[in-house]
Amino acid sequence: MAGKAAAPGTAVLLVTANVGSLFDDPENLQKNWLREFYQVVHTHRPHFLALHCQEFGGKNYEASMSHVDKFVRELLSSDAMTEYNRARVYLDENYKSQEHFTALGSFYFLHESLKNISQFDFKAKKYKKVTGKEIYSDTLESTPMLEKEKFPQDYFPECKWSRKGFIRTRWCLADCAFDLVNIHLFHDASNLVAWETSPSVYSGIRHKALGYVLDRIIDQRFEKAFYFVFGDFNFRLDSKSVVEGSGTVCTSFPSWAPADPASASPALGFPRPGRPWTCPRPWCPAVRAAAGLVVGVGLGGAGQLQETLVFRAHGVSLAESAASPRAPFSLLAASSGSRPECGSASKWT
């Protein structure tokens, strides 16, 4: 392993961001995000800049493709980045391949003053000089300058369309070799399940996936090097302790039915209008009120629309909403100190 330190004064900046929401509102969110990113670059003035993105392209990659291209062109041609005369961009855009698609995007920018840097070719097993600006997309599996993998499906079987995985690149700066790993670990498919145990079952899945990546980095295929793993780890608070410690858990559901039963999920067992509803899963907290907030818990799994229960706080009716797959629960504002009106069988502890 190369042991020399980087040249004195060489600045390296590592940035990571889940950018999925930027493609929902590119005219506003994307412009604001880029402005802040450029400000960070201006403040730190790195010689080597790595930007790791997750959920690149947003929820609907096909519909967002034009926004993706615009985002990449802006980064490569912006006045704020003119001093970075070399770049490598790796975009996993092959959304039609469910067995490989990770929606990861890795950007690397090299300052014009940086002379002694090269990138590793994993197929040829040797370093190559970096010149110009190049973009790689679609089938990154055939690109020798990186390693990309999607986590095995059996790691998270309840999330059929998971896009979680990692991209690894290797660089050599002033005779110091190091790996940069863009990672996206598994989320919590259900907050209700996450509340059952501590640590939750999802923590164990993330631990297993992270171990899978680390084993790949330090295996015997290549010479060992320093490595930096940065991305979306999807770490969560200890949900069970948070809920039990709040002291404000409602353990039964209100007597309520959706206005349009046809729009509700049959799996949730919603009744006809006007009839009381008993939760088919009595172990699930229906709602938690703390610090003046009402939390309506969606019961669907990831990748499905999740009905958010309707509660009333001080007579204000909160209409039913379909939470996005990215939002397993919804925060609904209520006046300070209020609690939602639940059925007569409700008990606050």
Side-chain angles (χ1 to χ4, degrees):
M1 180 174 64
K4 293 183 180 180
T10 301
V12 175
L13 178 62
L14 309 179
V15 182
T16 184
N18 187 313
V19 295
S21 59
L22 301 188
F23 299 93
D24 296 334
D25 184 10
E27 290 302 316
N28 295 303
L29 295 179
Q30 199 171 109
K31 289 181 179 179
N32 292 336
W33 189 93
L34 286 169
R35 183 178 64 250
E36 293 300 321
F37 174 74
Y38 295 146
Q39 182 58 49
V40 170
V41 175
H42 176 74
T43 299
H44 295 280
R45 299 183 180 277
H47 298 94
F48 180 89
L49 167 61
L51 169 61
H52 284 177
C53 298
Q54 304 82 43
E55 294 195 16
F56 198 80
K59 304 180 188 69
N60 189 342
Y61 208 103
E62 187 172 9
S64 303
M65 191 63 71
S66 60
H67 303 316
V68 168
D69 294 340
K70 183 178 179 180
F71 182 86
V72 175
R73 288 196 305 270
E74 164 66 24
L75 272 175
L76 292 179
S77 61
S78 169
D79 292 341
M81 306 295 289
T82 54
E83 295 181 359
Y84 295 88
N85 61 348
R86 290 154 293 168
R88 292 293 182 269
V89 178
Y90 303 104
L91 305 176
D92 189 1
E93 295 183 328
N94 191 18
Y95 58 88
K96 294 182 180 180
S97 177
Q98 292 294 338
E99 66 272 22
H100 297 298
F101 185 50
T102 62
L104 293 173
S106 297
F107 297 76
Y108 304 99
F109 301 92
L110 284 63
H111 194 271
E112 58 189 9
S113 64
L114 190 59
K115 306 301 181 183
N116 51 349
I117 187 167
S118 55
Q119 186 180 3
F120 189 68
D121 183 321
F122 287 93
K123 185 177 181 178
K125 295 187 177 182
K126 63 180 181 180
Y127 288 94
K128 294 184 177 180
K129 185 178 180 180
V130 181
T131 60
K133 297 180 180 181
E134 298 178 359
I135 302 174
Y136 298 86
S137 59
D138 295 327
T139 54
L140 294 184
E141 288 76 18
S142 60
T143 303
M145 307 307 292
L146 58 81
E147 285 195 320
K148 182 186 82 74
E149 286 191 47
K150 184 174 180 177
F151 293 124
Q153 185 61 52
D154 59 0
Y155 274 38
F156 202 36
E158 61 185 287
C159 190
K160 184 178 180 180
W161 305 119
S162 170
R163 301 181 295 181
K164 308 303 191 291
F166 70 94
I167 289 178
R168 170 195 187 187
T169 58
R170 174 170 289 191
W171 305 82
C172 186
L173 174 59
D175 294 327
C176 180
F178 57 94
D179 286 347
L180 299 179
V181 182
N182 185 357
I183 191 171
H184 195 179
L185 294 181
F186 294 105
H187 58 282
D188 285 8
S190 169
N191 283 294
L192 303 179
V193 174
W195 288 349
E196 288 188 278
T197 60
S198 177
S200 77
V201 61
Y202 302 114
S203 296
I205 295 173
R206 283 188 285 272
H207 181 271
K208 183 178 180 180
L210 181 58
Y212 179 88
V213 175
L214 298 180
D215 287 342
R216 293 287 289 168
I217 295 174
I218 63 175
D219 62 18
Q220 302 301 315
R221 294 171 301 138
F222 307 104
E223 183 180 5
K224 289 183 173 58
F226 298 109
Y227 58 86
F228 299 86
V229 181
F230 53 111
D232 186 349
F233 290 86
N234 259 313
F235 288 163
R236 298 291 198 273
L237 295 174
D238 184 339
S239 300
K240 182 176 176 63
S241 297
V242 169
V243 172
E244 291 180 347
S246 70
T248 55
V249 177
C250 177
T251 57
S252 64
F253 285 67
S255 297
W256 169 83
D260 181 10
S263 66
S265 171
L268 298 182
F270 284 118
R272 297 170 184 255
R275 294 179 59 186
W277 176 45
T278 302
C279 174
R281 305 172 187 172
W283 48 265
C284 305
V287 66
R288 161 177 170 264
L293 290 179
V294 178
V295 181
V297 181
L299 298 179
Q304 301 174 351
L305 290 179
Q306 303 173 353
E307 285 78 16
T308 300
L309 302 177
V310 172
F311 299 102
R312 294 187 304 167
H314 285 278
V316 178
S317 179
L318 303 174
E320 177 189 10
S321 65
S324 74
R326 287 170 53 88
F329 62 88
S330 301
L331 294 179
L332 308 175
S335 57
S336 179
S338 65
R339 286 177 174 174
E341 298 177 6
C342 293
S344 59
S346 301
K347 180 180 180 181
W348 290 91
T349 57

